[in-house]
Amino acid sequence: MPPTKKKNQVTAAPPERRQELLDTAAEVFAAQGYNATTVRKIADEAGLLAGSLYYHFDSKESMLDEILSTFLTELWEGYDAVLAAGLGPRRTIEALVTESFREIDRHRAAVAIYQKESRHLAAQPRFTYLAASQAKFEKAWLGTLERGVAERVFREDLDIRLTYRFVRDTVWVAASWYRPGGQHSPEEIARQYLSMVLDGIAVRT
């Protein structure tokens, strides 16, 4: 007689199906907020019975953890490559912004979740890596801006921290309106954005 499955026992799902479920969960978390989202709601959106979702994930916390950690791992693979490339300050900023828009294209819902939820999630033991990632993120951007001022690539009167906050917020808020497959590619959006940030929008005389 075959062994019976225990309640909430997690079983391996095909990678494609697992990713489909995570994508569905990410969209629901982004739209409704983590605390307001129930396992039943995710299962409904995925076309499953609520109990069936537990055969793939042991909790909605596990799903959120995988969504955010996957996004941040990929983000830092791109950022670390940029920071190790030995580019000048302006080229580094351009490359970081472009990489950011590529990540929004690949992980729009995860970015939206991160924007809304990371501050309170970081206080939970399972999500302490969010605070560490944020500190690393801030160090990378502030360091690049400071280097640009020191090398006279950026204005010497630049408020480094204010500039960092402006660039950070205006890049990542794009997750609220960006839709993959739209009129503009991530690279084109980054190019337009960088033109406005680095060169301004007024006609030069």
Side-chain angles (χ1 to χ4, degrees), residues 117-175:
E117 311 278 2
S118 61
R119 181 169 296 181
H120 75 264
L121 285 173
Q124 301 180 25
R126 186 164 190 166
F127 294 98
T128 53
Y129 63 86
L130 296 177
S133 180
Q134 178 58 37
K136 184 180 177 183
F137 184 91
E138 183 173 311
K139 181 179 179 181
W141 282 86
L142 289 176
T144 303
L145 290 168
E146 288 169 352
R147 184 161 59 95
V149 171
E151 295 179 12
R152 302 189 178 219
V153 175
F154 304 139
R155 297 197 326 257
E156 64 179 0
D157 65 336
L158 205 64
D159 185 314
I160 298 298
R161 188 161 291 276
L162 182 61
T163 303
Y164 157 69
R165 288 172 176 165
F166 171 77
V167 174
R168 176 198 65 191
D169 293 349
T170 50
V171 167
W172 293 108
V173 78

Coordinates of all heavy atoms in Angstrom, one line a residue, residues 117-175:
E117 N 6.8 46.7 1.0 CA 6.8 45.8 2.2 C 8.2 45.6 2.9 O 8.2 45.1 4.0 CB 6.4 44.4 1.7 CG 5.1 44.3 0.9 CD 3.9 44.3 1.8 OE1 4.0 44.4 3.0 OE2 2.8 44.2 1.2
S118 N 9.3 46.0 2.2 CA 10.6 45.7 2.7 C 10.9 46.3 4.1 O 11.6 45.6 4.9 CB 11.7 46.1 1.8 OG 11.7 47.5 1.6
R119 N 10.4 47.4 4.4 CA 10.7 48.1 5.7 C 10.2 47.3 6.9 O 11.0 47.0 7.8 CB 10.2 49.5 5.7 CG 10.5 50.2 7.0 CD 10.2 51.7 7.0 NE 10.9 52.4 6.0 CZ 10.9 53.7 5.7 NH1 10.0 54.4 6.4 NH2 11.6 54.2 4.8
H120 N 9.0 46.8 6.8 CA 8.5 46.0 8.0 C 8.9 44.6 7.9 O 9.1 43.9 8.9 CB 7.0 46.2 8.1 CG 6.2 45.4 7.1 ND1 5.7 46.0 6.0 CD2 5.7 44.1 7.1 CE1 5.0 45.1 5.3 NE2 5.0 43.9 6.0
L121 N 9.1 44.1 6.7 CA 9.6 42.7 6.6 C 11.0 42.5 7.1 O 11.3 41.4 7.7 CB 9.5 42.2 5.1 CG 8.2 41.9 4.5 CD1 8.3 41.7 3.0 CD2 7.5 40.7 5.2
A122 N 11.8 43.5 6.9 CA 13.2 43.4 7.4 C 13.4 43.2 8.9 O 14.4 42.7 9.3 CB 14.0 44.7 7.0
A123 N 12.3 43.5 9.6 CA 12.4 43.2 11.1 C 12.1 41.8 11.4 O 12.3 41.4 12.6 CB 11.3 44.1 11.8
Q124 N 11.7 41.0 10.5 CA 11.4 39.6 10.7 C 12.7 38.7 10.5 O 13.4 39.0 9.5 CB 10.3 39.1 9.8 CG 9.0 39.9 10.1 CD 7.8 39.3 9.2 OE1 7.9 38.2 8.7 NE2 6.9 40.2 8.9
P125 N 12.9 37.7 11.3 CA 14.2 37.0 11.1 C 14.4 36.4 9.7 O 15.5 36.4 9.2 CB 14.0 35.8 12.2 CG 13.1 36.4 13.2 CD 12.2 37.3 12.5
R126 N 13.3 36.0 9.1 CA 13.5 35.3 7.8 C 13.9 36.3 6.7 O 14.4 35.9 5.7 CB 12.2 34.7 7.4 CG 12.3 33.8 6.1 CD 11.1 32.9 5.9 NE 11.3 32.0 4.9 CZ 10.6 30.9 4.7 NH1 9.6 30.6 5.5 NH2 10.8 30.1 3.7
F127 N 13.7 37.6 6.9 CA 13.9 38.6 5.9 C 14.9 39.7 6.3 O 15.0 40.8 5.7 CB 12.6 39.3 5.6 CG 11.5 38.5 5.0 CD1 10.5 37.9 5.8 CD2 11.5 38.1 3.6 CE1 9.6 37.1 5.2 CE2 10.6 37.3 3.0 CZ 9.6 36.8 3.8
T128 N 15.9 39.3 7.2 CA 16.9 40.2 7.6 C 17.8 40.6 6.4 O 18.5 41.6 6.4 CB 17.8 39.7 8.7 OG1 18.3 38.4 8.3 CG2 16.9 39.6 10.0
Y129 N 17.9 39.7 5.4 CA 18.7 40.0 4.2 C 18.2 41.2 3.4 O 19.0 41.9 2.7 CB 18.8 38.8 3.3 CG 17.5 38.4 2.6 CD1 17.0 39.0 1.5 CD2 16.7 37.4 3.2 CE1 15.8 38.6 0.9 CE2 15.5 37.0 2.7 CZ 15.0 37.6 1.5 OH 13.8 37.2 0.9
L130 N 17.0 41.7 3.6 CA 16.5 42.9 3.0 C 17.2 44.1 3.5 O 17.6 45.0 2.7 CB 15.0 43.0 3.2 CG 14.1 41.9 2.6 CD1 12.6 42.2 3.0 CD2 14.2 41.8 1.1
A131 N 17.4 44.2 4.8 CA 18.2 45.3 5.3 C 19.6 45.3 4.8 O 20.2 46.4 4.5 CB 18.1 45.3 6.8
A132 N 20.2 44.2 4.8 CA 21.6 44.1 4.3 C 21.7 44.5 2.9 O 22.7 45.2 2.5 CB 22.1 42.6 4.5
S133 N 20.7 44.1 2.1 CA 20.8 44.5 0.7 C 20.6 46.0 0.5 O 21.2 46.6 -0.3 CB 19.6 43.7 -0.1 OG 19.6 44.1 -1.5
Q134 N 19.7 46.5 1.3 CA 19.5 48.0 1.2 C 20.7 48.8 1.6 O 21.1 49.8 0.9 CB 18.3 48.4 2.1 CG 18.0 49.9 2.2 CD 17.7 50.5 0.8 OE1 17.1 49.8 0.0 NE2 18.2 51.7 0.6
A135 N 21.4 48.3 2.6 CA 22.7 49.0 3.0 C 23.7 48.9 1.9 O 24.4 49.9 1.6 CB 23.2 48.4 4.3
K136 N 23.8 47.7 1.3 CA 24.8 47.5 0.2 C 24.4 48.4 -1.0 O 25.2 49.0 -1.7 CB 24.8 46.1 -0.2 CG 25.8 45.7 -1.3 CD 25.8 44.2 -1.6 CE 26.7 43.9 -2.7 NZ 26.6 42.4 -3.1
F137 N 23.1 48.5 -1.3 CA 22.6 49.3 -2.4 C 22.9 50.8 -2.2 O 23.5 51.5 -3.1 CB 21.0 49.1 -2.4 CG 20.4 49.8 -3.6 CD1 20.1 49.2 -4.8 CD2 19.9 51.1 -3.4 CE1 19.5 49.8 -5.8 CE2 19.2 51.8 -4.5 CZ 19.0 51.1 -5.7
E138 N 22.7 51.3 -1.0 CA 23.0 52.7 -0.6 C 24.5 53.0 -0.8 O 24.9 54.0 -1.3 CB 22.5 53.0 0.8 CG 22.7 54.4 1.2 CD 22.0 54.7 2.5 OE1 20.8 54.4 2.7 OE2 22.7 55.3 3.4
K139 N 25.3 52.0 -0.3 CA 26.7 52.2 -0.3 C 27.2 52.3 -1.8 O 28.1 53.2 -2.1 CB 27.5 51.1 0.4 CG 29.0 51.2 0.4 CD 29.6 50.0 1.1 CE 31.1 50.1 1.1 NZ 31.8 49.0 1.8
A140 N 26.7 51.5 -2.7 CA 27.1 51.5 -4.1 C 26.7 52.8 -4.8 O 27.6 53.4 -5.5 CB 26.4 50.3 -4.8
W141 N 25.5 53.3 -4.5 CA 25.1 54.5 -5.2 C 25.8 55.7 -4.6 O 26.3 56.6 -5.3 CB 23.6 54.7 -5.1 CG 22.8 53.8 -6.1 CD1 22.5 52.5 -5.9 CD2 22.4 54.2 -7.4 NE1 21.8 52.0 -7.0 CE2 21.8 53.0 -7.9 CE3 22.5 55.3 -8.1 CZ2 21.2 53.0 -9.2 CZ3 21.9 55.4 -9.4 CH2 21.3 54.2 -9.9
L142 N 25.8 55.8 -3.3 CA 26.5 57.0 -2.7 C 28.0 57.0 -3.0 O 28.5 58.1 -3.3 CB 26.3 57.0 -1.2 CG 24.9 57.3 -0.6 CD1 24.9 57.1 0.9 CD2 24.5 58.7 -1.0
G143 N 28.6 55.9 -3.0 CA 30.0 55.8 -3.4 C 30.3 56.3 -4.8 O 31.3 57.0 -5.0
T144 N 29.4 55.9 -5.7 CA 29.6 56.3 -7.1 C 29.4 57.8 -7.3 O 30.1 58.5 -8.0 CB 28.6 55.5 -8.0 OG1 28.8 54.1 -7.9 CG2 28.8 55.9 -9.5
L145 N 28.4 58.4 -6.6 CA 28.1 59.8 -6.7 C 29.2 60.6 -6.0 O 29.7 61.6 -6.6 CB 26.8 60.1 -6.0 CG 25.5 59.6 -6.7 CD1 24.3 59.7 -5.8 CD2 25.3 60.4 -8.0
E146 N 29.7 60.1 -4.9 CA 30.9 60.8 -4.3 C 32.1 60.8 -5.1 O 32.8 61.8 -5.2 CB 31.2 60.1 -2.9 CG 30.1 60.4 -1.8 CD 30.3 59.5 -0.6 OE1 31.1 58.6 -0.6 OE2 29.6 59.8 0.4
R147 N 32.3 59.7 -5.8 CA 33.5 59.6 -6.7 C 33.3 60.5 -7.9 O 34.3 61.2 -8.3 CB 33.6 58.1 -7.2 CG 34.8 57.8 -8.1 CD 35.1 56.3 -8.1 NE 34.0 55.6 -8.7 CZ 33.9 55.2 -9.9 NH1 34.8 55.6 -10.8 NH2 32.9 54.5 -10.3
G148 N 32.1 60.7 -8.4 CA 31.8 61.6 -9.5 C 32.1 63.0 -9.1 O 32.6 63.8 -9.9
V149 N 31.7 63.4 -7.9 CA 32.0 64.8 -7.4 C 33.5 65.0 -7.2 O 34.1 66.0 -7.7 CB 31.3 65.1 -6.0 CG1 31.8 66.4 -5.5 CG2 29.8 65.1 -6.3
A150 N 34.2 64.0 -6.6 CA 35.6 64.1 -6.4 C 36.4 64.2 -7.7 O 37.4 64.9 -7.8 CB 36.1 62.9 -5.6
E151 N 35.9 63.5 -8.8 CA 36.6 63.5 -10.1 C 36.1 64.7 -11.0 O 36.4 64.7 -12.1 CB 36.4 62.2 -10.7 CG 37.1 61.0 -10.0 CD 36.9 59.7 -10.7 OE1 36.4 59.6 -11.8 OE2 37.2 58.7 -10.0
R152 N 35.2 65.5 -10.4 CA 34.6 66.7 -11.1 C 33.8 66.3 -12.4 O 33.7 67.0 -13.3 CB 35.7 67.6 -11.5 CG 36.5 68.1 -10.3 CD 37.4 69.3 -10.7 NE 38.1 69.7 -9.5 CZ 38.4 71.0 -9.2 NH1 38.0 71.9 -10.1 NH2 39.0 71.3 -8.1
V153 N 33.2 65.1 -12.3 CA 32.3 64.6 -13.3 C 30.9 65.2 -13.0 O 30.1 65.5 -13.9 CB 32.2 63.1 -13.4 CG1 31.2 62.6 -14.4 CG2 33.6 62.6 -13.8
F154 N 30.6 65.2 -11.7 CA 29.3 65.8 -11.2 C 29.6 67.1 -10.4 O 30.7 67.3 -10.0 CB 28.6 64.8 -10.2 CG 28.3 63.5 -10.9 CD1 28.5 62.3 -10.1 CD2 27.9 63.4 -12.2 CE1 28.3 61.1 -10.7 CE2 27.6 62.1 -12.7 CZ 27.8 61.0 -12.0
R155 N 28.6 68.0 -10.3 CA 28.8 69.3 -9.7 C 29.3 69.2 -8.3 O 28.9 68.3 -7.5 CB 27.5 70.1 -9.7 CG 26.9 70.4 -11.0 CD 25.9 71.5 -10.9 NE 25.1 71.4 -9.7 CZ 23.8 71.0 -9.6 NH1 23.3 70.5 -10.7 NH2 23.2 71.0 -8.4
E156 N 30.2 70.1 -7.9 CA 30.8 70.0 -6.5 C 29.8 70.4 -5.5 O 29.9 70.1 -4.3 CB 32.0 70.9 -6.4 CG 31.8 72.3 -6.6 CD 33.0 73.2 -6.5 OE1 34.1 72.6 -6.3 OE2 33.0 74.4 -6.7
D157 N 28.7 71.1 -5.9 CA 27.7 71.5 -4.9 C 26.5 70.5 -4.8 O 25.5 70.8 -4.1 CB 27.1 72.9 -5.2 CG 26.3 72.9 -6.6 OD1 26.6 72.0 -7.4 OD2 25.4 73.7 -6.8
L158 N 26.7 69.4 -5.4 CA 25.7 68.3 -5.4 C 25.5 67.8 -3.9 O 26.4 67.5 -3.2 CB 26.1 67.2 -6.3 CG 25.0 66.3 -6.9 CD1 24.1 67.1 -7.8 CD2 25.7 65.1 -7.6
D159 N 24.2 67.8 -3.5 CA 23.9 67.1 -2.2 C 23.8 65.6 -2.5 O 22.8 65.1 -3.1 CB 22.5 67.6 -1.7 CG 22.2 67.1 -0.3 OD1 22.3 65.9 -0.1 OD2 21.8 67.9 0.5
I160 N 24.8 64.9 -2.1 CA 24.9 63.5 -2.5 C 23.7 62.6 -2.0 O 23.2 61.9 -2.8 CB 26.2 62.9 -1.9 CG1 27.5 63.6 -2.5 CG2 26.3 61.4 -2.2 CD1 27.6 63.5 -4.0
R161 N 23.4 62.8 -0.8 CA 22.3 61.9 -0.2 C 20.9 62.3 -0.9 O 20.1 61.4 -1.2 CB 22.2 62.1 1.3 CG 21.2 61.1 1.9 CD 21.5 60.9 3.4 NE 22.8 60.2 3.6 CZ 22.9 58.9 3.6 NH1 21.9 58.1 3.4 NH2 24.1 58.3 3.8
L162 N 20.7 63.6 -1.1 CA 19.4 64.0 -1.8 C 19.4 63.5 -3.2 O 18.4 63.0 -3.6 CB 19.3 65.5 -1.7 CG 18.0 66.1 -2.3 CD1 16.8 65.6 -1.6 CD2 18.1 67.6 -2.3
T163 N 20.5 63.6 -3.9 CA 20.6 63.0 -5.2 C 20.3 61.5 -5.3 O 19.6 61.0 -6.1 CB 21.9 63.4 -5.9 OG1 22.2 64.8 -5.8 CG2 22.0 62.9 -7.3
Y164 N 20.9 60.8 -4.4 CA 20.7 59.4 -4.3 C 19.3 59.0 -4.1 O 18.7 58.2 -4.8 CB 21.6 58.8 -3.1 CG 21.1 57.5 -2.6 CD1 21.1 56.3 -3.3 CD2 20.5 57.4 -1.3 CE1 20.6 55.1 -2.8 CE2 20.0 56.2 -0.8 CZ 20.1 55.1 -1.6 OH 19.6 53.9 -1.1
R165 N 18.6 59.7 -3.1 CA 17.2 59.5 -2.9 C 16.3 59.8 -4.1 O 15.4 59.0 -4.4 CB 16.7 60.3 -1.7 CG 17.3 59.8 -0.3 CD 17.0 60.7 0.8 NE 17.4 60.1 2.1 CZ 17.5 60.9 3.2 NH1 17.2 62.1 3.2 NH2 18.0 60.3 4.3
F166 N 16.6 60.8 -4.8 CA 15.9 61.2 -6.0 C 16.0 60.2 -7.0 O 15.0 59.7 -7.6 CB 16.4 62.6 -6.5 CG 15.8 62.9 -7.8 CD1 14.5 63.4 -7.9 CD2 16.5 62.8 -9.0 CE1 13.9 63.7 -9.2 CE2 16.0 63.1 -10.2 CZ 14.7 63.6 -10.3
V167 N 17.3 59.8 -7.3 CA 17.5 58.8 -8.4 C 16.9 57.4 -8.0 O 16.2 56.8 -8.8 CB 19.0 58.6 -8.6 CG1 19.3 57.5 -9.6 CG2 19.6 59.9 -9.2
R168 N 17.1 57.0 -6.8 CA 16.5 55.7 -6.3 C 15.0 55.7 -6.4 O 14.5 54.8 -7.0 CB 16.9 55.5 -4.8 CG 16.3 54.3 -4.2 CD 16.4 54.4 -2.6 NE 15.6 55.5 -2.1 CZ 15.6 56.0 -0.9 NH1 16.5 55.4 0.0 NH2 14.8 56.9 -0.5
D169 N 14.4 56.7 -5.9 CA 12.9 56.7 -5.9 C 12.3 56.8 -7.3 O 11.3 56.2 -7.6 CB 12.4 57.8 -5.0 CG 12.7 57.6 -3.5 OD1 13.2 56.5 -3.2 OD2 12.5 58.5 -2.7
T170 N 12.9 57.7 -8.1 CA 12.3 57.9 -9.4 C 12.6 56.7 -10.4 O 11.8 56.4 -11.3 CB 12.8 59.2 -10.1 OG1 14.2 59.2 -10.0 CG2 12.2 60.4 -9.4
V171 N 13.6 55.9 -10.1 CA 13.8 54.7 -10.9 C 12.8 53.6 -10.5 O 12.1 53.1 -11.3 CB 15.3 54.2 -10.7 CG1 15.4 52.7 -11.3 CG2 16.3 55.1 -11.5
W172 N 12.8 53.3 -9.2 CA 12.1 52.1 -8.7 C 10.5 52.4 -8.7 O 9.8 51.4 -8.8 CB 12.6 51.7 -7.4 CG 14.0 51.2 -7.5 CD1 15.1 51.7 -7.0 CD2 14.4 50.0 -8.1 NE1 16.2 51.0 -7.3 CE2 15.8 49.9 -8.0 CE3 13.7 48.9 -8.8 CZ2 16.5 48.8 -8.5 CZ3 14.5 47.9 -9.3 CH2 15.9 47.9 -9.2
V173 N 10.1 53.6 -8.7 CA 8.6 53.8 -8.7 C 8.1 53.4 -10.1 O 6.9 53.2 -10.2 CB 8.3 55.3 -8.4 CG1 8.6 56.2 -9.6 CG2 6.9 55.5 -8.0
A174 N 9.0 53.3 -11.1 CA 8.5 52.8 -12.4 C 7.8 51.5 -12.3 O 7.0 51.2 -13.2 CB 9.7 52.8 -13.4
A175 N 8.1 50.7 -11.3 CA 7.4 49.4 -11.2 C 5.9 49.6 -11.1 O 5.1 48.7 -11.4 CB 7.9 48.6 -10.0

